[in-house]
Amino acid sequence: MAGLFITLEGIDGAGKSTHAGFIAQRMADAGHAVVQTREPGGTPLGERLREVVLGHPMDILAETLLIFAARAQHLEEVVRPALARGAVVLCDRFTDATFAYQCGGRGVAESSVEALASITHGDLSPDLTLLFDTDAGTARGRVLARNATDRFEREDLGFFERVRNRYLEQARREPGRFCVLDAGQSIADVQAAIARAIGRRIG
Ligand code: TMP
């Protein structure tokens, strides 16, 4: 039986990580085997690449290629085997993040990311993508309050506005796959919206 591939997206500080545990628990309560994972990362190699990507200044194409290297390993080692077993894979970020951050934020050509996505997972895209949407100023305030900031989190407001806009554009292009959640609401309201979205899309 094929599993379910659910991805969580949003700008830094939108609160998606706060809700990942809630979603995993909900899916487990419904009787699904759940694999919770993240990108970049999710494998020993991917986590090493994550450290480099988040910590080391680099050329934007090098950044994009390293993210896809981590993604290829993650798909091979974790995502595809779990889906083949029939599990729910709950992944904190996937290729939508590359379109949003590297294309929207940094200006990498869309065609480059499209080509890399096609090579890496042309046959696979998420069944459901929950986009935690909030304005860049609110999200930035939350990131600064956490105080441990990485290379992305230190970007300026304009960067996050571009990333957010690119995410929203992707959601408009693929309304069947995306569910946009207003992450500015209370945690309880966001969780109620998540429960409705999962129920509606997946049953
Ligand atoms: P996280 O803090 O949500 O785990 O994400 C780590 C950072 O990696 C986040 O600032 C966004 C960035 N990122 C990209 O720029 N492109 C990508 O494709 C992915 C998956 C993450």
Side-chain angles (χ1 to χ4, degrees):
M1 184 194 114
L4 267 178
F5 188 20
I6 302 177
T7 56
L8 310 180
E9 299 285 358
I11 59 175
D12 292 86
K16 68 188 161 44
S17 308
T18 309
H19 299 290
F22 168 78
I23 300 166
Q25 190 58 53
R26 217 182 148 79
M27 299 307 291
D29 290 347
H32 299 283
V34 180
V35 173
Q36 209 179 328
T37 186
R38 69 173 180 179
E39 290 205 355
T43 66
L45 174 64
E47 291 295 328
R48 289 181 70 177
L49 291 173
R50 179 187 175 92
E51 273 182 41
V52 177
V53 169
L54 269 57
H56 199 292
M58 65 184 72
D59 167 74
I60 57 176
L61 182 58
E63 178 179 291
T64 306
L65 293 170
L66 286 176
I67 287 168
F68 269 100
R71 182 161 298 142
Q73 188 67 29
H74 187 221
L75 282 161
E76 187 62 22
E77 206 175 316
V78 176
V79 178
R80 290 186 196 281
L83 293 174
R85 290 195 305 273
V88 172
V89 175
L90 186 61
C91 189
D92 195 333
R93 299 195 187 280
F94 192 59
T95 298
D96 294 309
T98 320
F99 281 108
Y101 279 79
Q102 277 64 48
C103 299
R106 302 238 195 264
V108 171
E110 297 267 335
S111 57
S112 301
V113 172
E114 277 161 13
L116 289 166
S118 163
I119 293 165
T120 313
H121 59 90
D123 57 332
L124 179 73
S125 81
D127 297 297
L128 172 65
T129 297
L130 299 173
L131 174 57
F132 293 83
D133 179 57
T134 192
D135 70 274
T138 305
R140 192 170 169 68
R142 289 184 189 157
V143 167
L144 295 178
R146 286 208 295 260
N147 121 54
T149 52
D150 62 42
R151 213 161 61 77
F152 290 91
E153 291 169 339
R154 286 192 295 271
E155 289 290 345
D156 62 20
L157 210 56
F159 175 85
F160 288 106
E161 278 163 0
R162 294 195 299 279
V163 173
R164 180 192 188 199
N165 288 337
R166 184 61 185 82
Y167 267 133
L168 290 171
E169 187 186 324
Q170 197 66 25
R172 280 193 293 274
R173 287 186 200 177
E174 295 185 71
R177 170 165 73 86
F178 269 83
C179 175
V180 182
L181 300 159
D182 174 3
Q185 306 171 90
S186 70
I187 289 181
D189 287 345
V190 177
Q191 290 183 345
I194 292 170
R196 282 195 302 275
I198 291 177
R200 209 169 42 238
R201 298 289 166 87
I202 293 167

